[in-house]
Amino acid sequence: MKKNLVFLFLICCLLANANVRMPLLFSDGMVMQRNKAIPVWGWADANEKITVQFNKQTKTIKADKTGKWTVSLDSEKAGGPFELTITGKNKIVITNVMVGEVWICSGQSNMEFQMYKTLNSEKEISDSNYPMIRHFGVAQDLSGAPKEDLKVGKWAVCSKETVRDFTAVGYFFAKKLYAELKIPIGIINTSWGGTCVETWTSIQAFEKSDEFKEMIADVPMLNMDSISKLYAKTMRERVEKIQGTEVSTANEITYKELGFNDSSWSELNVPGLWENQPLGDLDGVVWMRKTITLSAKDVKKPAILNLSKIDDEDITYVNGIEVGKNTIWEANREYIIPAGILKEGVNSIAVRIVDNSGGGGIYGESSDLKLTIGNTIVPLNGKWKYRVVLVKTALSPNSYPSLLYNAMVNPLIPYAFQGVLWYQGEANVGRANQYKKAFPLMITDWRTKWNQGDFPFYFVQLSSYNEFNGNSKNGSKWAELREAQTHTLQLPNTGMAVTTDIGNAKDIHPTNKQDVGKRLAAIALNNVYNKKTVYSGPTYKSLEIKGNQIILTFDNIGSGLSTSDNDDNLKGFEIAGADKVFHSAKAIIKDNKLIVFSENVLKPIAVHYGWADDASEANLYNKERFPASPFRTDDWEMITAAEKYKFSK
C-alpha cells in the first residue's frame, strides 16, 4: 500500500510539472506556411528548456519568467506529412503536418457561410475529396482583453464528411489554388455573422487614430462580467425609453390573444430588421402584432400565412392559436391556418420573436408577407405593433470595439501565413463614409500586429441586395459602402473581388460562393503566385466632358470593354447636371472608352454607375468576364457622411 502511495505521489509531481502546452492552432492536420520563417510558441514552466523538432530542424529555447516561449523555425518548402515535436518536461507530438500556403479567412456571415448552404451544395460536397486542403475553424468568442489562445478550434482534412461546415468562400478559393499549385492549402476561418469592422480592430489601433481616439478613450476597461452587466443595463434603459414602458415578461402570455389591446405599442416597418429602425441594436425577445379585417366569405376558405423570414426564431399565433414555429433564421415562414381559426371581422397575427445575435425581426421581400385565402391575397407588409419583453444580458460582438479582435484574432498571432481574405461590410453600411477610415485602419492594424510586412489583403466588395431601396435619387448606403471598399485599394498589396453581378437582391446571403472564391483566387494567382492573367474588371479612371456627353476611361480593361451578354445595351449608367438630379443614361463603347449621355441632361457634369443597393442590372465587363466596380464621378455629400461609430455607454 505504501509503495502505491509513493508511486502516485511521483506521478502527481510529474503531472504538476508536465505543463508544456501549445496553442490550438498547433494540432494534428495543421498546415504551416512555406518559404517563410515559421514561428512556434507555447507555454511551460518559468525558465523551462524547450526543444522543437520539425523535419530536419531542431531548435532550443528557454521559457521566460511567465512561462511563455517562442522559437522561429527556418523556412521550409512545400511538402509533408511531417511530425512536429515539442519537448520540455513532457513531450507533445503533432502529426500529419503539411507545409504549403496558409490564408486567413475572416469577416461576417458571407464569409462564415458554410458549404452545405451554397449553390449546388450536394454536388460540391460529394466532390470534395481534397486531403491537401485543410480547414481550421475558430470558435466564436468574445473578450474584453487580448487572449493568448482560442476558446475552441481544430484542423479538419477536407473530405465529403468534413467539408460541410467549411467557409464556402475559403474552400472555393483553396480549391482553385490547389488546382493551380498542387501543394497543401490551409485556410483559417475566423468569422462571425452580423459583425462590424470595429469589433475586429485592436484598441491600440483606435488609440492612434485621429478618427477614433476620442471614442476609444470612453470605452470602460472592465472584465467581461462587468461589461455584460453594464451593456444589459444600458440596453434595457434605452429600450424602455423608446417603447415608453418597462421591459418585462410578466404579461406576455396575453399578447397572443385576439382581444389584447396593443394600441399603446410602438410600431416597426415590416419587412425590415429592427437594427435599421429606431429600435436599433437589440438581442432579446420581441412580440410583434398585426390586425386585419376579414369578411364572412373569406373565413370559410383554406388559408396560408407567409411571413417571409424571421431572425432568429419565432412562434406564430393567429387569434391566440399557435399555427407554426421555426428556429432557422434564413428560412421562409409558411404556416397553414386550419379551418375555424379565422373569424369574420377583426383577426390578429401575433409573433413571438427570439433574436440571439446580429439582425432581428421580420425581414425579406414584401411580396412574401401575405395571408392567402383561396384566391384572395391580404398583404401584411407595412406597420406592425411591437413590444420588447426581454433584453439579452449576453454581449453582442458589436457591443464594444475590439471584442472579436481580442478573442478571435490576437490568439492567431504570430502564426505564419500568406495573406487574408475578407468578406464584411454589410454591418457597416449605415456608417459607409466612416468605413473609408475604419477598414484601412483594421488592415493596417493586423499588419502591424503580425509584423510580417504588408501581406496580401484581398476583400469582397458588397454584392447586390435591396435593403433600403437605395439609389441615386434617395441615396444608397450600399453604394457608399462599395465606394469605401474601392477607396481601400489605395493601401498597398490589396485587392477587391466585385460581386454585384452574382448577388441576390432579395437575400443578403447569395448562395453563389463558387465565383466569389474564384475571383479572389484570380487576384492571388496573379499577384502572389506569378500566374500572370487578368484578375479584375474595369475600374473608373477619369472623365472628359464634351458638350452633352461625358467620356469615361478605365483601368483594368483587359483585352477590351464589353457587356455581360456581348451586346451594345449597357445598363446601370446615370448622368446629372449642376442640379444634381440623375437621369438614366445611354452608354456606348468606343475605342475602349465609354460615351455617356442623356437627352434629359444637356450640360452633364457627373456620372453614376451601379449606384444602388441592388446593382445587379449593371453590366459593364471586360472581355475576360470580370465585372466593373460601381462608381461615381462626383464628390457630392454622402447620406452616411455624419454617421459615426458608437457603443453602448
Side-chain angles (χ1 to χ4, degrees):
M1 181 65 180
K2 193 175 288 187
K3 289 182 178 179
N4 289 340
L5 289 174
V6 172
F7 179 75
L8 287 172
F9 175 78
L10 291 173
I11 291 294
C12 289
C13 289
L14 287 171
L15 288 174
N17 288 304
N19 61 348
V20 174
R21 181 170 62 87
M22 298 296 292
L24 292 175
L25 271 172
F26 290 87
S27 52
D28 294 347
M30 67 184 292
V31 181
M32 290 180 167
Q33 176 61 42
R34 65 170 177 165
N35 301 337
K36 290 185 179 182
I38 304 170
V40 179
W41 72 95
W43 303 272
D45 283 343
N47 302 314
E48 184 175 345
K49 179 182 176 183
I50 307 297
T51 301
V52 177
Q53 295 173 299
F54 181 73
N55 199 5
K56 299 177 182 178
Q57 299 189 54
T58 299
K59 301 276 185 173
T60 301
I61 192 74
K62 188 169 74 171
D64 64 20
K65 61 182 180 180
T66 69
K68 181 73 180 287
W69 58 269
T70 303
V71 68
S72 181
L73 295 176
D74 299 333
S75 63
E76 294 272 354
K77 295 181 179 179
F82 303 111
E83 287 187 350
L84 174 65
T85 303
I86 303 94
T87 306
K89 293 172 182 172
N90 65 313
K91 185 175 183 180
I92 297 173
V93 179
I94 299 171
T95 64
N96 193 18
V97 178
M98 308 301 293
V99 177
E101 290 294 295
V102 179
W103 286 78
I104 294 175
C105 301
S106 190
Q108 55 182 108
S109 53
N110 273 306
M111 182 60 83
E112 185 181 5
F113 196 93
Q114 300 103 320
M115 279 292 296
Y116 75 87
K117 301 176 183 176
T118 201
L119 183 69
N120 300 323
S121 59
E122 290 186 8
K123 179 181 178 182
E124 296 289 1
I125 290 173
S126 67
D127 178 31
S128 59
N129 184 30
Y130 296 99
M132 290 297 101
I133 296 176
R134 311 285 175 90
H135 177 279
F136 185 91
V138 174
Q140 294 179 344
D141 190 19
L142 306 174
S143 180
K147 295 182 70 172
E148 285 194 318
D149 201 4
L150 302 167
K151 180 172 72 174
V152 180
K154 65 177 182 178
W155 286 94
V157 178
C158 185
S159 70
K160 62 182 180 181
E161 287 77 30
T162 62
V163 77
R164 182 181 184 276
D165 290 319
F166 284 20
T167 160
V169 169
Y171 168 76
F172 290 118
F173 172 87
K175 185 177 179 181
K176 179 62 177 176
L177 254 58
Y178 179 72
E180 295 288 335
L181 304 176
K182 293 294 189 293
I183 61 173
I185 309 293
I187 47 178
I188 299 172
N189 175 22
T190 180
S191 52
W192 190 322
T195 53
C196 61
V197 72
E198 291 85 0
T199 193
W200 294 100
T201 308
S202 78
I203 288 175
Q204 291 79 14
F206 290 126
E207 290 173 337
K208 297 175 183 177
S209 165
D210 291 339
E211 179 73 19
F212 294 100
K213 62 184 178 182
E214 185 176 337
M215 175 277 296
I216 203 67
D218 289 337
V219 175
M221 298 302 292
L222 306 170
N223 61 39
M224 289 301 289
D225 287 341
S226 298
I227 293 176
S228 294
K229 290 175 182 177
L230 176 62
Y231 172 73
K233 179 177 181 291
T234 56
M235 181 64 69
R236 184 187 183 95
E237 291 173 349
R238 184 183 67 81
V239 170
E240 289 179 343
K241 183 177 180 180
I242 291 171
Q243 68 180 20
T245 185
E246 69 174 344
V247 172
S248 172
T249 59
N251 299 313
E252 69 168 324
I253 192 171
T254 65
Y255 296 166
K256 66 182 180 180
E257 301 300 336
L258 170 61
F260 178 78
N261 183 1
D262 60 17
S263 60
S264 64
W265 287 18
S266 300
E267 292 181 326
L268 286 170
N269 290 316
V270 175
L273 298 174
W274 55 59
E275 276 78 3
N276 300 322
Q277 302 186 57
L279 183 57
D281 187 20
L282 169 76
D283 299 328
V285 179
V286 180
W287 279 86
M288 297 186 68
R289 286 176 54 91
K290 181 82 168 177
T291 301
I292 57 175
T293 302
L294 301 175
S295 68
K297 179 183 175 182
D298 287 335
V299 301
K300 295 177 182 178
K301 300 173 183 177
I304 299 174
L305 177 62
N306 292 97
L307 293 178
S308 195
K309 300 176 182 180
I310 298 179
D311 194 344
D312 291 302
E313 307 172 10
D314 74 290
I315 304 176
T316 298
Y317 303 87
V318 174
N319 294 337
I321 306 299
E322 182 180 326
V323 296
K325 59 184 177 181
N326 202 314
T327 60
I328 303 174
W329 64 272
E330 54 195 339
N332 282 304
R333 269 57 170 183
E334 181 174 293
Y335 300 137
I336 304 298
I337 302 178
I341 291 181
L342 295 176
K343 313 291 184 185
E344 178 183 1
V346 175
N347 292 257
S348 70
I349 301 168
V351 186
R352 186 181 190 271
I353 300 173
V354 178
D355 177 31
N356 297 312
S357 65
I362 303 172
Y363 73 106
E365 282 296 299
S366 293
S367 58
D368 293 330
L369 274 158
K370 60 190 177 182
L371 177 67
T372 305
I373 310 172
N375 295 322
T376 301
I377 295 178
V378 181
L380 298 176
N381 60 304
K383 301 290 186 181
W384 282 57
K385 298 284 189 175
Y386 79 89
R387 174 63 55 88
V388 180
V389 298
L390 181 68
V391 174
K392 287 188 65 178
T393 58
L395 279 175
S396 156
N398 296 332
S399 302
Y400 293 92
S402 309
L403 294 180
L404 295 191
Y405 170 84
N406 291 336
M408 298 176 63
V409 177
N410 193 72
L412 306 178
I413 300 170
Y415 200 82
F417 64 97
Q418 184 62 256
V420 170
L421 306 180
W422 178 261
Y423 196 157
Q424 187 274 339
E426 298 91 340
N428 278 85
V429 294
R431 304 189 303 278
N433 187 50
Q434 195 181 38
Y435 199 76
K436 289 182 178 179
K437 296 181 179 179
F439 186 32
L441 179 68
M442 191 211 75
I443 296 172
T444 302
D445 180 34
W446 286 22
R447 287 173 168 174
T448 300
K449 294 289 188 179
W450 251 284
N451 196 28
Q452 291 188 28
D454 290 336
F455 53 73
F457 198 106
Y458 304 147
F459 51 91
V460 181
Q461 189 181 53
L462 288 193
S463 193
S464 291
Y465 177 60
N466 195 27
E467 184 169 14
F468 308 109
N469 292 314
N471 53 38
S472 291
K473 182 179 180 180
N474 53 36
S476 170
K477 297 177 182 179
W478 280 66
E480 292 183 7
L481 197 287
R482 294 188 195 107
E483 180 180 74
Q485 292 175 311
T486 304
H487 177 84
T488 303
L489 291 172
Q490 296 177 24
L491 285 184
N493 211 5
T494 53
M496 182 176 75
V498 178
T499 63
T500 44
D501 61 324
I502 53 175
N504 185 338
K506 298 181 180 181
D507 193 343
I508 200 170
H509 302 108
T511 59
N512 180 1
K513 295 297 190 277
Q514 289 90 332
D515 285 327
V516 180
K518 289 176 182 177
R519 289 176 185 180
L520 289 168
I523 304 172
L525 288 167
N526 182 85
N527 293 353
V528 178
Y529 303 112
N530 206 32
K531 306 279 186 178
K532 295 304 178 183
T533 183
V534 175
Y535 62 90
S536 169
T539 51
Y540 166 69
K541 181 180 181 182
S542 65
L543 68 77
E544 179 184 3
I545 300 174
K546 286 190 175 182
N548 68 337
Q549 299 179 343
I550 293 183
I551 300 170
L552 303 174
T553 61
F554 295 84
D555 289 323
N556 301 308
I557 64 172
S559 55
L561 297 178
S562 182
T563 61
S564 57
D565 46 11
N566 293 316
D567 66 13
D568 296 327
N569 187 20
L570 280 165
K571 301 175 183 177
F573 285 92
E574 299 169 290
I575 202 165
D579 61 0
K580 300 183 181 180
V581 177
F582 281 87
H583 298 266
S584 180
K586 293 184 179 180
I588 298 172
I589 298 172
K590 185 176 181 181
D591 298 328
N592 281 323
K593 297 180 180 180
L594 281 187
I595 302 172
V596 186
F597 59 95
S598 170
E599 60 184 18
N600 297 313
V601 184
L602 298 181
K603 295 182 178 180
I605 60 174
V607 172
H608 279 184
Y609 171 69
W611 199 261
D613 293 8
D614 174 15
S616 56
E617 182 186 53
N619 67 341
L620 176 63
Y621 285 67
N622 55 28
K623 291 181 179 178
E624 284 73 19
R625 315 306 299 157
F626 285 95
S629 172
F631 66 90
R632 61 173 179 155
T633 65
D634 62 87
D635 60 357
W636 299 333
E637 187 173 66
M638 305 167 74
I639 62 173
T640 63
E643 300 301 320
K644 302 293 184 180
Y645 174 69
K646 300 173 184 176
F647 60 90
S648 300
K649 294 186 181 180

